[in-house]
Amino acid sequence: MNKKISFVGVGPGDPDLLTIKAMKLIQTSEVLFWTDSLIPQKILDFANKNAEKIKTSSLDLNVITEMMITKVKEGKKVVRLHDGDPCLFGAIAEQINILNQSNISCEVIPGISAFQVTASYHQAELTIPGVTQTIILSRAGGRTGMPDRESLHNLASINSSLCLYLSARHVKRAQEVLLESYDPKTKVIVGYRVSWEDGWTALIELKDMEKFTHDKKLIRTTIYIISPALSNFSKSSNLYDPNYKHLFRPK
Ligand SMILES: C[S@@+](CC[C@H](N)C(=O)[O-])C[C@H]1O[C@@H](n2cnc3c(N)ncnc32)[C@H](O)[C@@H]1O
């Protein structure tokens, strides 16, 4: 495999959250494939004005990969943009599989995911010692379906920080199931198009999640972070404890 395509995570929306590596690849690419519904035009504006920009939101997998293969074989530098981090609900595996079969290798450049920017807007730590040390990144069902062992009931049962992508349409059922395991007053950050110009976040309680979602008419580009860590600060970490010794602070 000698030809290469770069799959680049461009973060949640704000162009200032691009990595330097992502920026360099956008600026030097000759053909850019991008999902116009999930990536703001401002990010495309960093590309060379002569670069070919191909919108993919209305194309299917075979059409997209065939076009990528053609452009690479023409000797073009091809970059495929994905929102957030490509490894999360990015559908990159199926693209890379087809490209590899055509003897085209791929690299993946990570990006900031929606859960990270949303937590940052509330200065939230999702791993508070003594409360939870685990973050689950998942979804509340949908047409893709969930493996039985990953039912929302099972995911909720350990009371960790739980980030739900792609779930606004399923909020009624999600709230019902989450309330079987979490306290109704558990804090939830709701994020809509976070870091876009019209985006926002709100801190609510789990018992209000469905009503809030319907009142705000949320359907797309919404993330929920449900976490006991958002209201519990019970114990500081060992790392900065004056009595805790480690390699870099032996005394
Ligand atoms: C197909 S998934 C892609 C996730 C992306 N790869 C990531 O790492 O953030 C799209 C879902 O991600 C979440 N999402 C992506 N960007 C977002 C943003 N700026 N604000 C809120 N949610 C976002 C929403 O749940 C949306 O439905």
Side-chain angles (χ1 to χ4, degrees), residues 7-11 17-19 21-22 84-87 108-113:
F7 283 73
V8 175
V10 300
L17 293 175
L18 283 170
T19 63
K21 203 161 193 171
D85 188 284
C87 84
V108 178
I109 310 301
I112 292 179
S113 185

Side-chain angles (χ1 to χ4, degrees), residues 113-116 118 163-166 188-194 220-225:
S113 185
F115 89 94
Q116 292 165 301
T118 303
C163 305
L164 293 180
Y165 289 70
L166 298 157
V188 176
I189 307 175
V190 184
Y192 171 72
R193 285 167 67 87
V194 184
R220 305 181 65 237
T221 327
T222 302
I223 189 163
Y224 302 95
I225 302 180

Side-chain angles (χ1 to χ4, degrees), residues 40-106:
Q41 178 65 45
K42 277 188 172 176
I43 286 180
L44 270 287
D45 292 344
F46 291 122
N48 189 303
K49 67 174 175 12
N50 297 321
E52 192 179 351
K53 292 143 193 134
I54 300 172
K55 295 182 183 178
T56 57
S57 54
S58 61
L59 307 178
D60 69 34
L61 175 66
N62 290 333
V63 174
I64 296 170
T65 48
E66 262 174 41
M67 288 172 83
M68 285 193 211
I69 292 165
T70 304
K71 297 295 176 187
V72 169
K73 287 189 173 161
E74 285 171 4
K76 302 271 173 56
K77 181 168 178 180
V78 177
V79 165
R80 168 71 161 128
L81 303 183
H82 276 271
D83 67 311
D85 188 284
C87 84
L88 270 160
F89 304 114
I92 60 168
E94 60 209 52
Q95 299 174 65
I96 292 172
N97 185 35
I98 294 175
L99 294 167
N100 285 172
Q101 283 170 13
S102 294
N103 218 23
I104 293 168
S105 67
C106 300

Side-chain angles (χ1 to χ4, degrees), residues 164-184:
L164 293 180
Y165 289 70
L166 298 157
S167 297
R169 286 177 197 274
H170 315 288
V171 67
K172 183 176 188 313
R173 177 81 188 120
Q175 179 174 316
E176 278 167 18
V177 175
L178 294 176
L179 283 172
E180 291 168 9
S181 298
Y182 289 91
D183 187 288

Side-chain angles (χ1 to χ4, degrees), residues 216-236:
K216 297 281 184 191
K217 299 186 171 48
L218 300 177
I219 298 172
R220 305 181 65 237
T221 327
T222 302
I223 189 163
Y224 302 95
I225 302 180
I226 300 105
S227 178
L230 296 172
S231 47
N232 276 310
F233 183 72
S234 60
K235 182 173 173 285
S236 295

